[in-house]
Amino acid sequence: MSGLGEAASRIGEKVVEILDIFDLSFFISGAVAVGAILVGVDGGDSHPITGDENGTLLFGLVLGSYVLGLAAFSIGRFVRSPLTKLREADALAHAMRDQGLEAEDGGLSRPIVEFFGTESIEGGDRWPLYTRMWVHVRSYPSLAESFALLRRYWILSASYDGIATAALVWLWPIWTKAPQEARLGLTALVVAISLFCWHRAFEYKRYQITELVATVAHWITLVGKPVLDKASAGPSAPSPSNQTQEASETTAAEQPQA
């Protein structure tokens, strides 16, 4: 099972990489919406399509899928964000407590204040700090793999937001083309799919928040705290060998030159 799980994970990573090229993830939701529109406007009348018309139609479908995908993502994120904003804030606060980035009094831990500054994280609002964490992760080459995983979660969340909206477009052909006795059942199915997609979009956003906070906490443990501890200890006392060398150099400097 471990081999199958690793293979599935690699396939998922490759799919996300492909979708990330030119934001191809938007084509998924756009294609869903275009399919619904084509079914809805199909009046049953057709005529033979010539070669020129076929090329124009293909270009229109590709461009339309991309544009509708962008619109579906924008609408889906606009609808979902206000509904899950408080849950996302709770996820961020919970992750920071679990990773030890908050002090016992509820404030921020010393490494966070030292490395990320205090001017943008005053009060209880943690979203400016969340943005600063993104900047931190993408600025360090050693964190490239974590940054790639964070982008993967963002792409998947955006894809599900778009699909949730695009799926609702199918209500139009359902209520205009489907048999009357099947409309309620199909409507319930489409709504359930949309709600599930919005739920998955939030889950991937939560994964993204948790991964980002954990990455920063791990970096602080390996790099940040040793730097702060060394700075707090002050300049280290010279070793006996160094003291002997410094004394010899001082004596040689004090001797008059011939």
Side-chain angles (χ1 to χ4, degrees):
M1 291 299 292
S2 60
L4 292 176
E6 184 178 355
S9 177
R10 290 181 179 178
I11 293 174
E13 291 176 0
K14 293 299 181 182
V15 170
V16 172
E17 290 177 3
I18 295 173
L19 294 178
D20 192 34
I21 302 175
F22 301 112
D23 293 327
L24 293 182
S25 58
F26 297 124
F27 279 106
I28 299 177
S29 55
V32 173
V34 167
I37 293 174
L38 292 177
V39 173
V41 300
D42 183 17
D45 297 330
S46 61
H47 63 280
I49 298 178
T50 63
D52 293 338
E53 290 177 339
N54 191 30
T56 303
L57 178 61
L58 179 61
F59 176 78
L61 289 176
V62 172
L63 181 60
S65 296
Y66 185 75
V67 172
L68 287 177
L70 288 173
F73 161 71
S74 301
I75 296 172
R77 184 60 58 90
F78 176 78
V79 172
R80 182 185 62 80
S81 292
L83 300 177
T84 60
K85 185 176 182 179
L86 293 178
R87 296 175 63 191
E88 292 174 3
D90 290 340
L92 178 58
H94 186 76
M96 292 188 63
R97 287 193 299 268
D98 288 347
Q99 298 299 331
L101 299 185
E102 287 194 356
E104 295 181 356
D105 59 357
L108 296 172
S109 64
R110 175 172 167 261
I112 282 289
V113 174
E114 292 289 338
F115 281 104
F116 291 88
T118 58
E119 68 279 358
S120 65
I121 53 179
E122 295 178 353
D125 188 6
R126 296 289 188 260
W127 289 116
L129 176 61
Y130 176 78
T131 303
R132 186 78 65 89
M133 288 180 179
W134 267 101
V135 176
H136 176 86
V137 172
R138 75 167 182 257
S139 300
Y140 284 83
S142 60
L143 301 177
E145 292 186 5
S146 295
F147 183 62
L149 179 59
L150 290 169
R151 290 173 64 246
R152 176 185 179 185
Y153 286 147
W154 190 94
I155 292 171
L156 290 172
S157 179
S159 298
Y160 276 107
D161 275 328
I163 295 174
T165 303
L168 294 176
V169 181
W170 278 91
L171 293 178
W172 173 34
I174 285 175
W175 283 90
T176 57
K177 303 292 184 179
Q180 188 172 1
E181 61 274 10
R183 291 176 182 176
L184 291 179
L186 292 174
T187 298
L189 177 62
V190 168
V191 172
I193 291 174
S194 294
L195 293 177
F196 177 79
C197 288
W198 269 313
H199 172 72
R200 294 309 305 171
F202 165 74
E203 287 297 305
Y204 280 117
K205 180 61 179 291
R206 185 173 62 83
Y207 298 158
Q208 173 187 303
I209 292 172
T210 303
E211 175 67 21
L212 179 62
V213 174
T215 299
V216 171
H218 185 65
W219 181 90
I220 287 177
T221 301
L222 296 181
V223 180
K225 284 185 177 180
V227 172
L228 290 180
D229 293 341
K230 184 177 180 180
S232 300
S236 58
S239 61
S241 60
N242 290 338
Q243 290 179 350
T244 303
Q245 182 179 358
E246 290 175 359
S248 300
E249 292 175 354
T250 302
T251 303
E254 291 177 351
Q255 291 179 354
Q257 297 180 355

